[in-house]
């Protein structure tokens, strides 16, 4: 599927009654029991006229975050994809 070192994960999870979809370079079972560790968050860096307000909200919320821990029960799905975005 993806070449070694180019793996991208799409993580879909529920938080505060909203469904979030984030892309990351790495996921692992974290040191915190019952949490998935997600690191290397990726955001669309293309400059375009069309702005996705959902992605802008995610960028704002995760600015400066190196690693996030998501509870297992909040995770809906984790996919290994070739690249981030639609």
């Amino acid at each position: 599927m993806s070449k070694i070192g180019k793996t991208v994960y799409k993580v879909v999870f529920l938080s505060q009654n909203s469904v979030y979809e984030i892309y990351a370079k790495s996921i692992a079972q974290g040191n915190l029991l019952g949490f998935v560790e997600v690191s290397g968050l990726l955001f669309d860096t293309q400059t375009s006229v069309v702005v996705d307000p959902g992605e802008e909200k995610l960028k704002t919320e995760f600015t400066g975050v190196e690693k996030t821990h998501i509870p297992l029960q909040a995770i809906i799905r984790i996919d290994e994809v070739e690249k981030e975005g639609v």
Side-chain angles (χ1 to χ4, degrees):
M1 181 175 208
S2 296
K3 294 181 181 177
I4 295 175
K6 299 281 186 179
T7 303
V8 175
Y9 296 96
K10 178 173 79 170
V11 182
V12 181
F13 64 98
L14 185 64
S15 178
Q16 300 173 354
N17 295 323
S18 295
V19 176
Y20 287 82
E21 181 178 295
I22 58 174
Y23 293 87
K25 293 179 185 176
S26 174
I27 58 170
Q29 181 176 345
N31 292 333
L32 298 171
L33 186 62
F35 286 82
V36 172
E37 183 179 285
V38 180
S39 59
L41 299 179
L42 302 169
F43 296 102
D44 188 11
T45 56
Q46 297 177 2
T47 56
S48 63
V49 177
V50 179
V51 176
D52 181 4
E55 183 162 352
E56 290 301 314
K57 179 183 175 192
L58 283 175
K59 282 183 188 178
T60 303
E61 186 167 338
F62 288 101
T63 297
V65 174
E66 292 181 27
K67 196 181 290 185
T68 187
H69 300 269
I70 302 171
L72 282 174
Q73 66 269 21
I75 298 213
I76 297 170
R77 182 179 181 142
I78 298 174
D79 294 324
E80 186 176 334
V81 297
E82 291 181 13
K83 62 180 181 177
E84 68 269 15
V86 179

